[in-house]
Amino acid sequence: MLIVMDQKAAPEDINGVIAAIEAKGYTARPIPGGDRVAIGILNNQGPVDAALFLALPGVKDAIPVTRPYKLVSREFKPEDTVIQIGDACIGSGGLTIIAGPCAIESESQALTIAEHVKRSGAQLFRGGAFKPRTSPYSFQGLGLEGLKILARVRETTGLPVVTEVMDLETFDLVEHYADVIQIGTRNMQNFSLLRRAGRAKKPVLLKRGMAATIDEWLMAAEYILEGGNSAVILCERGVRTFVHHSRNTLDLSAIPVVRKESHLPIIVDPSHAAGRRDQVIPLSRAAVAVEAHGLMVEVHHDPARALSDGGQSLYPDQFELLCRQVRSIYRILKNRKDDIPQD
Ligand code: PEP
Ligand code: MN
């Protein structure tokens, strides 16, 4: 349940509601944002009796929350969450582009790619230092050395960096070096990692599990918000289906659903969805058309020699084309927003 306070409610009224919530053994969570104060009720087993709160001074309304997730839902927070990272405002209605190689392989590889993607308009750089690989014999990432290279990329280019955390042991290290901490598809329901991410001081990019429903994905994000970190960016990266023409199936229908259900920003990773370079540009155009807040794309200057995911990495000139195309689609949508039926 969400208790909505009157705009004129005094601080004592708000404290009174919090005390009444806690007296019932529930947790009170004031929700920031907007021009009204709202207080969420968490940790209730079963329904909450609205009458208990409606009679208290300063209370305007008590709205039952019908979803299993609360803090991530629009019922709790109607306004979009906007996360500022460097020059990018993710979720503002702008289009954020994150690009870089699958894995950091060397300083010169990372810097070469970073210069290319920056020139084309990427606002953030991506690259894995700790890589979750299907085979233990595949390249596992450079680890700490990769994180140090990412720091040098940030220093040299000014681009904030996104990199994946795989486990609790390396969380502090990744948090120290990253501007955005990525939790990958294989870890979407690693609950101890999600709880640690809830205590992180950096934004978290939470990828959808490859077999996760939207409810499961939003519940995973709920763990992070519940832990105290409200800077979560969702990333649709394709789900496992029966098809053979692509690595995964990009579920673009998730974008309007998540945007309706949640205030969190949502971006699309067409590279891991497709697994093939030739599908990345068309899928990116489509993702922007369904109003994703951004894209995360794998780019490599020499994909034939890439140590991971070369087959789905765009050449720099293809990435430049992608940026131009998606930006013009974005501009058309933005200018014609009033003409497009929203429901
Ligand atoms: C990645 O972005 O490097 C990655 C491994 O992606 P996913 O978790 O979506 O497979
Ligand atoms: Mn990859």
Side-chain angles (χ1 to χ4, degrees):
M1 177 157 294
L2 186 67
I3 309 296
V4 182
M5 302 300 293
D6 197 277
Q7 263 177 337
K8 294 190 208 78
E12 308 85 82
D13 298 337
I14 295 168
N15 290 337
V17 171
I18 293 173
I21 293 170
E22 289 173 351
K24 291 295 293 175
Y26 309 145
T27 304
R29 181 67 71 95
I31 316 280
D35 49 4
R36 56 169 199 177
V37 173
I39 305 162
I41 300 180
L42 304 179
N43 285 327
N44 55 299
Q45 313 297 330
V48 175
D49 181 7
L52 288 174
F53 305 102
L54 281 170
L56 296 176
V59 172
K60 187 168 173 227
D61 206 356
I63 304 170
V65 175
T66 55
R67 306 294 197 264
Y69 36 87
K70 296 175 187 242
L71 298 170
V72 305
S73 78
R74 280 226 188 254
E75 287 178 328
F76 255 51
K77 181 174 180 273
E79 318 81 44
D80 282 348
T81 287
V82 177
I83 301 171
Q84 168 109 37
I85 305 155
D87 290 340
C89 279
I90 309 187
S92 65
L95 183 66
T96 304
I97 300 181
I98 305 169
C102 180
I104 301 298
E105 300 167 4
S106 68
E107 182 164 335
S108 70
Q109 172 250 19
L111 279 171
T112 305
I113 298 169
E115 296 293 356
H116 278 301
V117 299
K118 183 181 174 177
R119 225 173 294 134
S120 302
Q123 293 121 305
L124 289 94
F125 180 73
R126 65 145 285 148
F130 294 97
K131 293 300 305 174
R133 303 305 302 278
T134 302
S135 164
Y137 308 115
S138 302
F139 176 60
Q140 305 285 305
L142 296 179
L144 176 57
E145 178 52 24
L147 294 177
K148 290 183 177 165
I149 292 172
L150 282 165
R152 286 199 282 279
V153 167
R154 174 176 46 223
E155 254 168 57
T156 314
T157 62
L159 294 177
V161 299
V162 184
T163 197
E164 178 163 353
V165 68
M166 277 179 38
D167 47 44
L168 287 176
E169 289 93 310
T170 52
F171 204 109
D172 289 356
L173 203 57
V174 173
E175 184 179 8
H176 175 75
Y177 283 95
D179 295 295
V180 178
I181 302 163
Q182 177 174 323
I183 294 187
T185 197
R186 293 158 188 81
N187 267 319
M188 189 206 81
Q189 280 188 321
N190 180 336
F191 298 111
S192 30
L193 206 59
L194 296 174
R195 285 205 187 280
R196 174 63 186 83
R199 298 195 301 277
K201 300 285 174 284
K202 303 269 175 77
V204 175
L205 179 77
L206 179 64
K207 290 192 142 195
R208 180 179 181 180
M210 63 182 86
T213 63
I214 290 178
D215 274 11
E216 287 164 341
W217 188 16
L218 291 176
M219 291 304 275
E222 185 81 11
Y223 268 84
I224 304 175
L225 270 75
E226 199 271 334
N229 187 355
S230 52
V232 173
I233 304 151
L234 299 166
C235 178
E236 162 62 41
R237 49 76 72 201
V239 289
R240 179 69 60 87
T241 68
F242 50 84
V243 306
H244 296 295
H245 60 265
S246 58
R247 185 172 173 183
N248 291 286
T249 296
L250 183 58
D251 179 12
L252 284 178
S253 65
I255 311 307
V257 174
V258 167
R259 287 197 55 155
K260 199 169 184 176
E261 287 293 312
S262 176
H263 51 84
L264 295 175
I266 178 164
I267 68 167
V268 166
D269 170 352
S271 308
H272 290 89
R276 299 172 43 147
R277 186 175 304 124
D278 60 344
Q279 295 175 10
V280 171
I281 293 181
L283 291 178
S284 300
R285 291 193 301 249
V288 173
V290 295
E291 297 190 88
H293 293 110
L295 297 170
M296 182 158 85
V297 183
E298 285 187 344
V299 179
H300 201 292
H301 64 298
D302 188 3
R305 290 204 183 79
L307 297 181
S308 67
D309 285 348
Q312 67 194 32
S313 299
L314 295 186
Y315 289 93
D317 57 344
Q318 292 178 312
F319 176 68
E320 207 220 314
L321 179 67
L322 178 152
C323 288
R324 272 193 277 126
Q325 292 191 353
V326 297
R327 290 206 188 282
S328 52
I329 292 170
Y330 175 74
R331 270 195 302 275
I332 293 169
L333 275 177
K334 201 169 167 204
N335 294 338
R336 302 196 48 189
K337 196 110 189 172
D338 292 344
D339 301 344
I340 300 171
Q342 292 300 304
D343 235 345

mmCIF file of all heavy atoms in Angstrom, residues 102 126 131 272 298 309 312, ligand 2:
data_model
loop_
_atom_site.group_PDB
_atom_site.id
_atom_site.type_symbol
_atom_site.label_atom_id
_atom_site.label_comp_id
_atom_site.label_asym_id
_atom_site.label_seq_id
_atom_site.Cartn_x
_atom_site.Cartn_y
_atom_site.Cartn_z
ATOM 1 N N CYS A 102 33.149 -6.515 -26.257
ATOM 2 C CA CYS A 102 32.630 -7.471 -25.286
ATOM 3 C C CYS A 102 33.576 -7.490 -24.089
ATOM 4 O O CYS A 102 33.163 -7.276 -22.959
ATOM 5 C CB CYS A 102 32.557 -8.856 -25.942
ATOM 6 S SG CYS A 102 31.940 -10.116 -24.828
ATOM 7 N N ARG A 126 31.611 0.546 -22.748
ATOM 8 C CA ARG A 126 31.428 -0.724 -22.065
ATOM 9 C C ARG A 126 32.615 -1.642 -22.337
ATOM 10 O O ARG A 126 33.292 -1.508 -23.351
ATOM 11 C CB ARG A 126 30.136 -1.427 -22.510
ATOM 12 C CG ARG A 126 30.092 -1.868 -23.963
ATOM 13 C CD ARG A 126 29.331 -3.187 -24.159
ATOM 14 N NE ARG A 126 30.114 -4.333 -23.717
ATOM 15 C CZ ARG A 126 29.594 -5.434 -23.207
ATOM 16 N NH1 ARG A 126 28.299 -5.552 -23.071
ATOM 17 N NH2 ARG A 126 30.389 -6.429 -22.841
ATOM 18 N N LYS A 131 34.654 -11.890 -17.222
ATOM 19 C CA LYS A 131 33.709 -12.361 -18.240
ATOM 20 C C LYS A 131 33.048 -13.683 -17.837
ATOM 21 O O LYS A 131 33.752 -14.651 -17.539
ATOM 22 C CB LYS A 131 34.446 -12.603 -19.577
ATOM 23 C CG LYS A 131 34.993 -11.378 -20.249
ATOM 24 C CD LYS A 131 33.926 -10.349 -20.597
ATOM 25 C CE LYS A 131 32.783 -10.873 -21.438
ATOM 26 N NZ LYS A 131 31.718 -9.861 -21.617
ATOM 27 N N HIS A 272 23.868 -9.018 -27.857
ATOM 28 C CA HIS A 272 23.722 -10.354 -27.267
ATOM 29 C C HIS A 272 22.405 -10.996 -27.678
ATOM 30 O O HIS A 272 22.284 -12.220 -27.658
ATOM 31 C CB HIS A 272 23.885 -10.296 -25.747
ATOM 32 C CG HIS A 272 25.301 -10.000 -25.354
ATOM 33 N ND1 HIS A 272 25.756 -8.716 -25.194
ATOM 34 C CD2 HIS A 272 26.366 -10.817 -25.165
ATOM 35 C CE1 HIS A 272 27.056 -8.756 -24.906
ATOM 36 N NE2 HIS A 272 27.450 -10.017 -24.883
ATOM 37 N N GLU A 298 27.926 -3.856 -28.857
ATOM 38 C CA GLU A 298 29.324 -4.298 -28.907
ATOM 39 C C GLU A 298 29.978 -3.848 -30.223
ATOM 40 O O GLU A 298 29.419 -4.048 -31.316
ATOM 41 C CB GLU A 298 29.409 -5.814 -28.748
ATOM 42 C CG GLU A 298 29.155 -6.208 -27.291
ATOM 43 C CD GLU A 298 29.367 -7.673 -26.966
ATOM 44 O OE1 GLU A 298 29.435 -8.506 -27.902
ATOM 45 O OE2 GLU A 298 29.450 -7.999 -25.781
ATOM 46 N N ASP A 309 32.987 -12.770 -28.575
ATOM 47 C CA ASP A 309 31.850 -12.168 -29.275
ATOM 48 C C ASP A 309 32.208 -11.322 -30.498
ATOM 49 O O ASP A 309 31.495 -10.350 -30.813
ATOM 50 C CB ASP A 309 30.993 -11.347 -28.291
ATOM 51 C CG ASP A 309 30.150 -12.252 -27.379
ATOM 52 O OD1 ASP A 309 30.057 -13.464 -27.649
ATOM 53 O OD2 ASP A 309 29.589 -11.739 -26.399
ATOM 54 N N GLN A 312 29.420 -10.872 -33.301
ATOM 55 C CA GLN A 312 28.289 -9.953 -33.126
ATOM 56 C C GLN A 312 28.752 -8.505 -32.959
ATOM 57 O O GLN A 312 27.930 -7.612 -32.778
ATOM 58 C CB GLN A 312 27.455 -10.365 -31.909
ATOM 59 C CG GLN A 312 28.165 -10.210 -30.568
ATOM 60 C CD GLN A 312 27.461 -10.930 -29.438
ATOM 61 O OE1 GLN A 312 26.844 -11.971 -29.638
ATOM 62 N NE2 GLN A 312 27.514 -10.382 -28.236
HETATM 63 MN MN MN B 2 29.634 -10.114 -25.246
#
